[in-house]
Amino acid sequence: MQIGTPHPRLLEITERIVERSRETRRAYLDRLADAARKRPRQKMGCANLAHAYAACTHTDKQVMTQGQAPNLGIVTAYNDMLSAHQPYETYPDLIREAARIAGATAQVAGGVPAMCDGVTQGEDGMELSLFSRDVIALSTAIALSHQTFDAAVCLGVCDKIVPGLLIGALSFGHLPVVFIPAGPMTTGLPNSEKARVRQLYAEGKVGRDALLVSESESYHGPGTCTFYGTANTNQMLMEIMGLHLPGASFVNPGTKLRDGLTREAVTRALALTADGDNWTPLGRMLDERVFVNGIVGLHATGGSTNHTIHLLAMARAAGIILTWDDLSDLAEIVPLLCRVYPNGQADVNHFHAAGGMAFLISTLLRGGLLHEDVETVWGRGLRHYVAEPWLNPETGTVTWQDGPQVSGDPAVLRGVEEPFAQTGGLRVLEGPLGRAVIKTSAVHPERYVIEAPAMVFHTQEAMQQAFKNGALDRDVIVVVRFQGPRANGMPELHKLMPALGVLQDRGHRVALVTDGRLSGASGKVPAAIHVTPEAAAEGPIALIRDGDRLRLDAVHGRLEVLEDPVSFMAREPVRDDLSTSAYGTGRELFGNFRSLVSRADEGACTILT
């Protein structure tokens, strides 16, 4: 295939990341090399090994005690309460079988927690969601700490699970690691209809029974939710960063192709160990260029704003220092190529059918917007990822064929020559309130600039009550603060969006400013999110009073307070009683997380320095 000359800004931004990260990256790679030299499995005592192999089958135990064949560690996020992770129930047996055919062994090294933001949305448990990423990273490290593995596979899909698995796996970056997806659920109720019913419910025009029917028809079976939120953005990232097999991200669960791809992933992971000719350790593979490719994919697809936090944390685990400026500057050169809900009416199954990842990567390579010469789990060169997997129905084996060079549906997926927008739709906003992020890809351009008086709230519930009372039925910029990582774990605030959507549809000029999160389902209302410094750190957002005129300007990247700057900054910051977020639903166990967490523009992390 034809590969375009790399865009000069792509190279420039990548080089500045390399320079900024030179010392931290070198220190990380030195630790990785030291771990690779030690080869602890080969030197482990007999009693240690006996404990590790005691419960294995007789045949596996014979192979393991001989010590000649690789042993594959499985880190799984399986539970049967998450639709996206329920398919993983049968994966360990499938993986062990595939490993035996390859002359190797496989063991479940450990499980990691996996919570669903859809279940906890608007509930107390959502205040544990972001911190669960760091718990998952710690759990992954514990799973691999037995050091009896030559490679690992990670089973995870959803919001914090994939970033947590990757952060944890990078602490064992001397091992090859392959991520194995489970795929999206089949298409249910159209996302546009789901959003319509939610808005009708917010207006009191339909009851809870109609809302539950709508939601159940949307989220109806095994697999990821089909809108393009954080879970499916994770899958895109793992593929464009070379951690999935080509074309593996969006194959539905319960299909023979899905099982075939899982078997192939096992075979590939075993081929990458230090005992073979293709040793590809995770930590060396994920260099600055790979993370830049991930950011490009995020912008080209209009992906989740959660990754303005997660990508920074994942990169830092590999000794690479990313900033919001890197993400914002890359957005200026990367066109928006996808219209998948909430950026359009299609879902990820439509995206996959229109050409999916193979076409996306192909067109970005032709446009010079990806680094091609990178390591992947499938071999050196991202050109391997312009292929699509096909199942041989007679043998059950998977082969790869050239992917499409033309989109199957230009209303869903386009090439770089005819994008939906010239930029990726992500801007960093700066001004007297600090810094924030806005995702504009689902916002109509006439709403890129909103100027209106502020109305301030400290909870979602208080804002919803004001909406029900009619107090917001006007031009307004809603400020919801004390929702940052230090305050209460930085929950997603999606219960705000139906009400704000109603106000916007009534013709009002409406926007949201918050130190909380919204994720990939941000929708049509302009929202300055992740405001930092947050209110709990006495950031300027804590100075805003009802009636202050604010200006959100996504065109010029500004978040302004249109009050006298001297008197505004002289105000005493408002403080809030955060004790209600300090206990209940397990939150009392996370006090140290809230006190240690870094800022949103530093990855909102508790475990990386």
Side-chain angles (χ1 to χ4, degrees):
M1 64 162 292
Q2 181 182 1
I3 297 174
T5 302
H7 194 292
R9 284 287 283 155
L10 182 83
L11 298 177
E12 177 188 331
I13 295 165
T14 304
E15 184 55 33
R16 82 183 185 202
I17 296 169
V18 170
E19 285 301 315
R20 183 192 307 133
S21 309
R22 193 167 297 281
E23 293 304 316
T24 51
R25 179 66 174 166
R26 181 186 296 119
Y28 173 77
L29 291 175
D30 286 346
R31 294 195 301 270
L32 182 154
D34 184 57
R37 281 192 298 270
K38 289 180 178 177
R39 302 294 299 277
R41 183 188 170 208
Q42 279 69 24
K43 301 173 184 177
M44 196 167 283
C46 293
N48 306 74
L49 292 173
H51 277 286
Y53 306 154
C56 293
T57 67
H58 176 72
T59 302
D60 283 353
K61 192 178 296 186
Q62 283 187 315
V63 173
M64 288 173 165
T65 53
Q66 291 170 1
Q68 302 301 312
N71 188 31
L72 183 67
I74 306 166
V75 183
T76 178
Y78 163 72
N79 66 50
D80 63 7
M81 194 270 299
L82 272 69
S83 62
H85 291 80
Q86 184 272 345
Y88 284 135
E89 181 174 10
T90 60
Y91 276 41
D93 284 342
L94 192 65
I95 291 168
R96 282 189 282 262
E97 177 190 353
R100 288 169 186 143
I101 291 171
T105 54
Q107 295 175 286
V108 174
V112 303
M115 65 182 293
C116 178
D117 290 0
V119 175
T120 58
Q121 200 66 247
E123 304 295 332
D124 292 346
M126 174 54 81
E127 295 183 7
L128 303 184
S129 174
L130 180 59
F131 292 147
S132 77
R133 181 195 66 191
D134 295 3
V135 174
I136 291 162
L138 296 170
S139 301
T140 303
I142 290 170
L144 296 176
S145 68
H146 297 99
Q147 300 194 88
T148 58
F149 307 109
D150 302 283
V153 291
C154 290
L155 313 184
V157 175
C158 285
D159 296 14
K160 316 306 169 299
I161 295 109
V162 166
L165 286 166
L166 187 56
I167 291 169
L170 280 164
S171 67
F172 289 81
H174 60 290
L175 296 178
V177 177
V178 177
F179 277 66
I180 302 180
M185 68 178 70
T186 55
T187 300
L189 185 75
N191 286 299
S192 57
E193 176 64 13
K194 175 189 68 178
R196 186 186 72 83
V197 175
R198 284 182 177 178
Q199 196 155 305
L200 289 173
Y201 179 76
E203 294 180 272
K205 294 180 178 178
V206 300
R208 184 179 176 86
D209 54 346
L211 179 64
L212 183 57
V213 169
S214 170
E215 298 290 340
S216 297
E217 289 177 353
S218 296
Y219 309 115
H220 63 89
T224 60
C225 309
T226 58
F227 69 90
Y228 195 54
T230 310
N232 286 315
T233 304
N234 282 338
Q235 303 316 294
M236 178 281 300
L237 281 173
M238 292 302 96
E239 186 157 342
I240 207 168
M241 292 172 69
L243 286 162
H244 280 175
L245 268 59
S249 296
F250 299 116
V251 175
N252 300 124
T255 62
K256 291 183 178 180
L257 179 56
R258 179 82 276 161
D259 287 348
L261 285 165
T262 299
R263 293 188 185 95
E264 290 289 342
V266 173
T267 303
R268 193 62 199 162
L270 293 168
L272 301 176
T273 68
D275 290 323
D277 298 328
N278 298 304
W279 182 48
T280 309
L282 174 70
R284 196 172 67 190
M285 186 184 106
L286 293 189
D287 64 13
E288 295 86 349
R289 296 169 301 165
V290 170
F291 277 99
V292 167
N293 284 350
I295 297 168
V296 169
L298 178 71
H299 294 324
T301 58
S304 170
T305 53
N306 275 331
H307 282 289
T308 65
I309 295 174
H310 296 324
L311 277 164
L312 272 58
M314 291 188 288
R316 193 66 181 84
I320 297 167
I321 303 172
L322 295 181
T323 70
W324 278 359
D325 290 328
D326 300 326
L327 274 67
S328 183
D329 290 349
L330 284 165
E332 291 301 308
I333 66 169
V334 179
L336 180 66
L337 304 180
C338 302
R339 285 289 188 201
V340 183
Y341 190 83
N343 302 331
Q345 298 308 312
D347 67 19
V348 293
N349 292 309
H350 301 130
F351 164 78
H352 186 62
M357 292 302 299
F359 177 80
L360 178 73
I361 292 172
S362 175
T363 191
L364 288 170
L365 284 172
R366 290 197 304 272
L369 293 170
L370 289 171
H371 294 285
E372 194 281 328
D373 188 24
V374 293
E375 293 284 357
T376 77
V377 298
W378 203 241
R380 188 167 190 87
L382 199 57
R383 68 184 65 208
H384 293 300
Y385 283 75
V386 303
E388 291 184 322
W390 292 85
L391 183 76
N392 183 322
E394 296 180 359
T395 64
T397 57
V398 180
T399 58
W400 275 261
Q401 301 176 12
D402 291 341
Q405 296 299 300
V406 178
S407 170
D409 188 349
V412 176
L413 177 61
R414 294 184 182 179
V416 294
E417 305 82 8
E418 48 171 0
F420 292 105
Q422 292 298 324
T423 68
L426 183 82
R427 291 297 303 267
V428 173
L429 304 177
E430 300 188 72
L433 296 180
R435 309 188 89 202
V437 170
I438 184 169
K439 177 180 173 181
T440 60
S441 52
V443 176
H444 194 281
E446 69 178 16
R447 298 187 179 276
Y448 284 180
V449 180
I450 301 289
E451 182 179 318
M455 195 160 182
V456 184
F457 303 93
H458 292 183
T459 66
Q460 294 186 87
E461 293 75 19
M463 180 271 182
Q464 289 175 308
Q465 190 60 53
F467 168 76
K468 292 175 182 176
N469 295 341
L472 297 176
D473 204 359
R474 54 186 170 82
D475 290 0
V476 63
I477 293 183
V478 171
V479 178
V480 184
R481 61 192 178 195
F482 294 100
Q483 304 298 314
R486 283 184 58 176
N488 62 354
M490 206 179 191
E492 291 181 356
L493 305 173
H494 284 300
K495 289 203 170 182
L496 301 174
M497 301 316 287
L500 291 172
V502 169
L503 296 173
Q504 182 169 283
D505 288 350
R506 289 175 182 171
H508 298 307
R509 305 287 290 172
V510 179
L512 172 68
V513 173
T514 182
D515 47 12
R517 295 184 295 124
L518 279 179
S519 92
S522 303
K524 63 186 181 181
V525 177
I529 61 176
H530 307 173
V531 172
T532 186
E534 63 176 286
E538 299 190 351
I541 191 174
L543 305 177
I544 302 173
R545 307 288 189 267
D546 286 345
D548 287 346
R549 289 198 69 80
L550 306 182
R551 180 181 172 88
L552 186 160
D553 184 347
V555 177
H556 299 98
R558 299 294 297 172
L559 185 57
E560 303 281 5
V561 180
L562 304 181
E563 303 293 325
D564 177 67
V566 175
S567 59
F568 178 79
M569 294 305 295
R571 292 175 181 175
E572 185 71 16
V574 172
R575 295 173 177 84
D576 192 35
D577 179 7
L578 301 174
S579 62
T580 56
S581 292
Y583 61 88
T585 327
R587 288 174 292 177
E588 58 269 30
L589 303 178
F590 287 80
N592 284 341
F593 283 67
R594 290 188 291 272
S595 64
L596 293 172
V597 67
S598 62
R599 291 166 37 139
D601 59 353
E602 297 172 344
C605 199
T606 65
I607 57 176
L608 299 173
T609 58

